[in-house]
Amino acid sequence: MKEYTLSTSCGKDYDGFLLCLTFESVLNYLDSIKAEPLISSSKGILLIDQLLVSGNGKNRFFSCLFDHGEINLSTAQTVLPSDYYRKLATQLLRENIPRLKYSILTDQQKEYIRKGISL
Protein backbone atom coordinates (compact mmCIF):
# COMPACT_ATOMS: atom_id res chain seq x y z
CA MET A 1 0.00 0.00 0.00
CA LYS A 2 1.30 3.45 -0.88
CA GLU A 3 2.03 6.06 1.75
CA TYR A 4 0.35 8.72 -0.38
CA THR A 5 -2.19 9.30 -3.08
CA LEU A 6 -1.47 11.43 -6.13
CA SER A 7 -4.30 13.12 -7.97
CA THR A 8 -4.39 14.99 -11.25
CA SER A 9 -7.83 16.43 -10.44
CA CYS A 10 -6.19 19.66 -9.42
CA GLY A 11 -8.08 22.52 -10.90
CA LYS A 12 -6.12 25.29 -12.55
CA ASP A 13 -3.65 26.23 -9.81
CA TYR A 14 -1.57 23.04 -9.61
CA ASP A 15 -0.57 20.19 -11.90
CA GLY A 16 -0.68 17.52 -9.21
CA PHE A 17 -2.05 17.06 -5.70
CA LEU A 18 -0.27 14.72 -3.32
CA LEU A 19 -1.95 13.71 -0.06
CA CYS A 20 0.24 12.02 2.53
CA LEU A 21 -1.52 8.97 4.02
CA THR A 22 0.86 8.34 6.92
CA PHE A 23 2.43 10.32 9.72
CA GLU A 24 5.86 9.96 8.08
CA SER A 25 7.66 12.74 6.28
CA VAL A 26 7.10 12.92 2.54
CA LEU A 27 10.90 12.68 2.22
CA ASN A 28 10.71 9.03 3.31
CA TYR A 29 8.97 8.05 0.07
CA LEU A 30 10.24 10.72 -2.30
CA ASP A 31 11.79 8.16 -4.68
CA SER A 32 8.42 6.46 -5.11
CA ILE A 33 6.75 9.80 -5.84
CA LYS A 34 9.39 10.68 -8.43
CA ALA A 35 8.57 7.43 -10.25
CA GLU A 36 4.87 8.26 -10.57
CA PRO A 37 3.87 8.75 -14.24
CA LEU A 38 2.67 12.32 -13.65
CA ILE A 39 5.94 13.34 -12.01
CA SER A 40 8.28 11.37 -14.26
CA SER A 41 6.75 12.40 -17.58
CA SER A 42 5.82 16.07 -17.16
CA LYS A 43 6.59 19.24 -15.29
CA GLY A 44 4.61 21.67 -13.21
CA ILE A 45 3.63 22.57 -9.68
CA LEU A 46 2.85 19.93 -7.08
CA LEU A 47 0.64 20.73 -4.08
CA ILE A 48 1.38 18.53 -1.07
CA ASP A 49 -1.08 18.11 1.80
CA GLN A 50 0.50 16.94 5.06
CA LEU A 51 -2.68 16.86 7.16
CA LEU A 52 -1.82 13.47 8.67
CA VAL A 53 1.79 14.56 9.24
CA SER A 54 1.52 18.08 10.62
CA GLY A 55 -2.17 18.49 11.43
CA ASN A 56 -4.58 21.14 10.24
CA GLY A 57 -2.29 24.12 10.81
CA LYS A 58 -0.45 26.66 8.72
CA ASN A 59 2.20 24.10 7.65
CA ARG A 60 -0.37 21.69 6.26
CA PHE A 61 0.04 22.60 2.57
CA PHE A 62 3.15 23.35 0.58
CA SER A 63 3.92 23.49 -3.10
CA CYS A 64 7.06 22.81 -5.10
CA LEU A 65 8.10 22.45 -8.71
CA PHE A 66 8.64 19.12 -10.43
CA ASP A 67 10.25 18.42 -13.79
CA HIS A 68 10.41 15.00 -15.45
CA GLY A 69 11.16 12.91 -12.38
CA GLU A 70 12.81 15.55 -10.26
CA ILE A 71 11.08 17.30 -7.39
CA ASN A 72 12.78 20.57 -6.59
CA LEU A 73 12.41 20.89 -2.83
CA SER A 74 14.37 24.14 -2.85
CA THR A 75 11.26 25.72 -4.41
CA ALA A 76 9.01 24.48 -1.59
CA GLN A 77 6.84 27.09 0.00
CA THR A 78 3.96 26.98 2.42
CA VAL A 79 0.71 27.89 0.69
CA LEU A 80 -2.93 28.45 1.56
CA PRO A 81 -4.82 26.89 -1.35
CA SER A 82 -8.49 27.31 -2.15
CA ASP A 83 -11.13 25.24 -0.35
CA TYR A 84 -11.27 22.97 -3.40
CA TYR A 85 -8.12 21.20 -2.16
CA ARG A 86 -9.46 20.75 1.35
CA LYS A 87 -12.56 19.11 -0.15
CA LEU A 88 -10.41 16.94 -2.40
CA ALA A 89 -8.31 15.84 0.58
CA THR A 90 -11.44 14.95 2.53
CA GLN A 91 -12.76 12.92 -0.39
CA LEU A 92 -9.45 11.05 -0.74
CA LEU A 93 -9.24 10.42 3.00
CA ARG A 94 -12.79 9.03 3.03
CA GLU A 95 -11.53 6.49 0.50
CA ASN A 96 -8.69 5.63 2.92
CA ILE A 97 -10.50 5.71 6.31
CA PRO A 98 -8.29 3.01 7.92
CA ARG A 99 -5.31 5.39 7.52
CA LEU A 100 -6.90 7.78 10.02
CA LYS A 101 -6.72 5.34 12.92
CA TYR A 102 -3.13 6.16 13.95
CA SER A 103 -2.98 9.71 12.61
CA ILE A 104 -2.41 12.81 14.73
CA LEU A 105 -5.94 14.02 14.03
CA THR A 106 -8.35 14.45 16.90
CA ASP A 107 -11.37 12.17 17.17
CA GLN A 108 -13.57 15.10 16.12
CA GLN A 109 -11.45 15.75 13.02
CA LYS A 110 -11.63 12.06 12.09
CA GLU A 111 -15.40 12.16 12.49
CA TYR A 112 -15.62 15.23 10.24
CA ILE A 113 -13.72 13.37 7.53
CA ARG A 114 -15.98 10.32 7.89
CA LYS A 115 -18.98 12.61 7.41
CA GLY A 116 -17.38 14.40 4.44
CA ILE A 117 -16.84 17.70 6.24
CA SER A 118 -13.68 19.42 5.00
CA LEU A 119 -10.98 20.41 7.44
Side-chain angles (χ1 to χ4, degrees):
M1 217 173 198
K2 289 184 182 177
E3 294 86 2
Y4 61 89
T5 183
L6 182 62
S7 175
T8 56
S9 299
C10 305
K12 59 181 176 142
D13 300 322
Y14 302 97
D15 301 293
F17 175 71
L18 184 121
L19 175 64
C20 301
L21 294 176
T22 72
F23 60 85
E24 295 180 27
S25 167
V26 68
L27 298 176
N28 291 351
Y29 40 90
L30 198 58
D31 288 338
S32 179
I33 296 167
K34 289 178 180 181
E36 289 286 340
L38 170 71
I39 304 299
S40 65
S41 65
S42 62
K43 67 183 211 173
I45 303 172
L46 180 64
L47 177 64
I48 299 174
D49 185 348
Q50 304 182 107
L51 177 64
L52 302 184
V53 178
S54 62
N56 192 23
K58 63 182 178 182
N59 294 328
R60 174 180 171 178
F61 292 99
F62 73 92
S63 67
C64 59
L65 299 176
F66 67 91
D67 187 353
H68 294 90
E70 291 303 316
I71 298 175
N72 189 345
L73 293 177
S74 68
T75 64
Q77 57 185 350
T78 303
V79 295
L80 185 60
S82 70
D83 285 341
Y84 171 83
Y85 300 98
R86 291 177 184 275
K87 290 175 185 172
L88 179 57
T90 300
Q91 174 189 340
L92 294 171
L93 285 170
R94 288 183 79 203
E95 296 169 7
N96 291 277
I97 288 291
R99 300 294 192 126
L100 299 178
K101 185 174 184 177
Y102 299 109
S103 74
I104 65 170
L105 300 180
T106 66
D107 289 340
Q108 184 178 19
Q109 289 171 324
K110 292 174 188 177
E111 188 60 27
Y112 283 168
I113 291 168
R114 284 185 192 95
K115 290 180 177 179
I117 300 168
S118 301
L119 298 177

